[in-house]
Amino acid sequence: MTPIQFYTLGYFEQYLIIGIILGIIIGLYALFRIYLGTKDSKISKNKRIVISAIIAIIVFVNMLNVWSNAAVFTFYLFLASLLADCVRLIWKYLLKDKYLKSIPRLHKKGILAFIFFAIILIHGFYGMNHINLTEYNLTTDKIANDSYSILFISDVHYDTIQNPQLVKESISKINKLKPDIVVLGGDIVDERTPNEGMKEIFKELGSINSTYGVYYVYGNHDRQPYTTDYENGNRTFTDKELDQAITSNGIKILEDKKVVINNNIVLVGRGDWGWNHDFKRPNVTDILDKSDYSKYIVVLDHQPIDKDVDLGNGIDLQLSGHTHAGQVFPFNLIQDLVVHYNYGKYKHHNMIQIVSSGLTGWGWPIRNEGKCEYVLVNIN
């Protein structure tokens, strides 16, 4: 990770005010925490003020871009320090100086805070480097005598923050599941994926053994629209190169299109809604025929949106990713409020909505919310 990536990854100016507010709060905390923590040191009062002020300014700068690694790590150091303060107060007022007499010394020197900070990071790195299988079992009256398994992979962000070997090992495990249908829910690559990495992941995904093929929809990162937020400032592959890598490996792109599988399942792939509202995509009814409604209809949509539209149009299952289940605290709390359908299985009358947390994560090399996963949906 380069310094540029550390500070600028995923910069969105509309979040600047949040960054400023957090920067002021955490910066002031750092100012007083460092100043009081060095009270009994041999450093003069003026030098303590200067040192505390410099650290507070660094903290403020780190928090300006709330999407950056700098902000996340600074925030976790802040939380770790607050936790250490709480432990110190509990020791002082509840334990009455009888136990753990080393706590005041460890707290004063900042060692206790760094222990908690290390625990948070270790947990986060562990979460990013372990990929799990999540399985759902669904029933339907639309499929009389057959059953189908759909393997859903989303948000790989290949060759960016997770060891590519872990992805390859997961694909090897997926092959043993022998799924009937494989669907790729977008953001398989992003702005930091090199050209060779892009070609490599679609070759790997295209090699998955499935009865009825591998299908793909674009995510908001696949076409590398946010290059200004990243180190090189330029795309590493073109749309043509991307599409060629996908289709040349036998993967079928569904861009507001459908495919009927074994006359039982209709798979509809949606064009990604995108970050802005300028994108216009057809209604799902414009894609479907009347004869499709007797079949089991699955909508593959990168972002978990248009739930009411799909529900009102007789869709049986919607598969989405994009949210990463928040990935890092406290973004999961914000997403729970804003996105509503952040992770897991939701039942809306006759429609099931499944939102995956993704095979990897985005941007930050840690995950302490949700899990890295691939999803197997069994339809009986």
Side-chain angles (χ1 to χ4, degrees):
M1 183 185 302
T2 68
I4 294 178
Q5 290 171 346
F6 189 72
Y7 283 98
T8 66
L9 179 64
Y11 177 72
F12 300 101
E13 60 184 10
Q14 59 266 40
Y15 295 97
L16 180 60
I17 294 178
I18 297 176
I20 291 174
I21 294 172
L22 288 174
I24 291 173
I25 293 172
I26 301 177
L28 288 174
Y29 171 84
L31 178 69
F32 289 104
R33 183 70 177 81
I34 300 299
Y35 181 75
L36 293 175
T38 55
K39 183 178 180 180
D40 296 333
S41 67
K42 296 180 181 180
I43 303 173
S44 67
K45 182 178 180 180
N46 290 338
K47 287 184 178 180
R48 286 169 53 213
I49 293 174
V50 171
I51 292 172
S52 301
I54 291 174
I55 293 176
I57 292 171
I58 293 173
V59 167
F60 178 78
V61 172
N62 284 354
M63 293 304 302
L64 287 180
N65 177 15
V66 294
W67 293 97
S68 68
N69 287 291
V72 170
F73 292 145
T74 300
F75 182 76
Y76 284 152
L77 187 56
F78 166 65
L79 288 184
S81 185
L82 279 182
L83 184 58
D85 290 343
C86 291
V87 171
R88 174 68 175 87
L89 291 174
I90 290 172
W91 179 87
K92 181 177 181 179
Y93 293 106
L94 296 181
L95 299 181
K96 298 180 180 180
D97 296 337
K98 292 182 179 180
Y99 309 101
L100 303 175
K101 293 183 178 181
S102 62
I103 284 180
R105 176 172 53 84
L106 293 175
H107 174 264
K108 186 175 182 179
K109 292 184 176 182
I111 296 174
L112 194 59
F114 276 104
I115 290 174
F116 290 135
F117 182 59
I119 292 172
I120 292 172
L121 291 188
I122 291 171
H123 176 258
F125 288 128
Y126 178 88
M128 184 54 70
N129 288 284
H130 288 78
I131 302 175
N132 306 273
L133 165 65
T134 301
E135 195 165 356
Y136 298 98
N137 294 300
L138 310 180
T139 58
T140 179
D141 295 330
K142 289 187 174 182
I143 302 174
N145 300 315
D146 294 317
S147 61
Y148 294 89
S149 59
I150 301 177
L151 196 288
F152 178 41
I153 300 173
S154 182
D155 300 277
V156 182
H157 296 269
Y158 188 71
D159 203 7
T160 58
I161 57 173
Q162 191 184 67
N163 186 348
Q165 186 59 35
L166 291 174
V167 178
K168 294 176 183 178
E169 290 173 1
S170 294
I171 293 174
S172 178
K173 293 177 182 178
I174 288 169
N175 270 320
K176 295 178 182 178
L177 297 174
K178 299 179 180 179
D180 294 313
I181 307 165
V182 175
V183 290
L184 309 176
D187 281 1
I188 304 303
V189 294
D190 72 18
E191 288 77 3
R192 285 195 292 161
T193 304
N195 190 294
E196 289 303 314
M198 179 271 294
K199 294 176 182 177
E200 182 178 62
I201 184 56
F202 285 111
K203 183 179 179 180
E204 292 285 338
L205 293 171
S207 70
I208 296 176
N209 295 320
S210 61
T211 308
Y212 300 106
V214 183
Y215 302 89
Y216 165 87
V217 296
Y218 295 101
N220 58 297
H221 282 283
D222 287 301
R223 293 187 176 108
Q224 299 186 321
Y226 312 118
T227 52
T228 53
D229 297 337
Y230 296 82
E231 180 180 18
N232 56 17
N234 297 296
R235 297 188 62 178
T236 59
F237 49 81
T238 65
D239 287 348
K240 183 177 180 180
E241 289 173 323
L242 174 63
D243 289 352
Q244 184 177 5
I246 296 168
T247 57
S248 65
N249 287 291
I251 302 171
K252 301 173 183 66
I253 300 174
L254 296 180
E255 181 86 349
D256 289 316
K257 295 179 181 178
K258 69 171 185 178
V259 61
V260 180
I261 298 172
N262 203 30
N263 205 36
N264 275 325
I265 292 180
V266 179
L267 178 62
V268 180
R270 302 310 312 269
D272 182 54
W273 179 75
W275 282 106
N276 58 65
H277 297 274
D278 296 331
F279 177 73
K280 297 293 187 293
R281 62 183 188 175
N283 192 293
V284 69
T285 55
D286 298 327
I287 304 171
L288 295 168
D289 298 323
K290 290 182 179 179
S291 61
D292 294 331
Y293 289 95
S294 63
K295 304 175 181 66
Y296 192 84
I297 304 174
V298 180
V299 168
L300 180 60
D301 199 344
H302 175 64
Q303 302 189 42
I305 60 172
D306 284 352
K307 178 266 296 182
D308 293 331
V309 174
D310 289 345
L311 177 62
N313 285 292
I315 305 305
D316 298 288
L317 173 64
Q318 184 194 79
L319 297 173
S320 299
H322 181 66
T323 66
H324 299 279
Q327 185 173 331
V328 296
F329 178 85
F331 286 103
N332 62 305
L333 301 179
I334 298 172
Q335 286 194 173
D336 284 339
L337 294 174
V338 176
V339 180
H340 302 299
Y341 307 107
N342 190 32
Y343 174 74
K345 174 186 171 184
Y346 304 90
K347 183 173 176 57
H348 311 289
H349 300 289
N350 294 323
M351 187 184 86
I352 298 296
Q353 180 186 34
I354 293 175
V355 182
S356 171
S357 55
L359 194 75
T360 311
W362 169 83
W364 310 296
I366 58 175
R367 175 189 281 279
N368 49 36
E369 291 294 338
K371 59 183 178 180
C372 295
E373 67 174 7
Y374 51 94
V375 175
L376 184 66
V377 182
N378 299 305
I379 303 172
N380 303 294

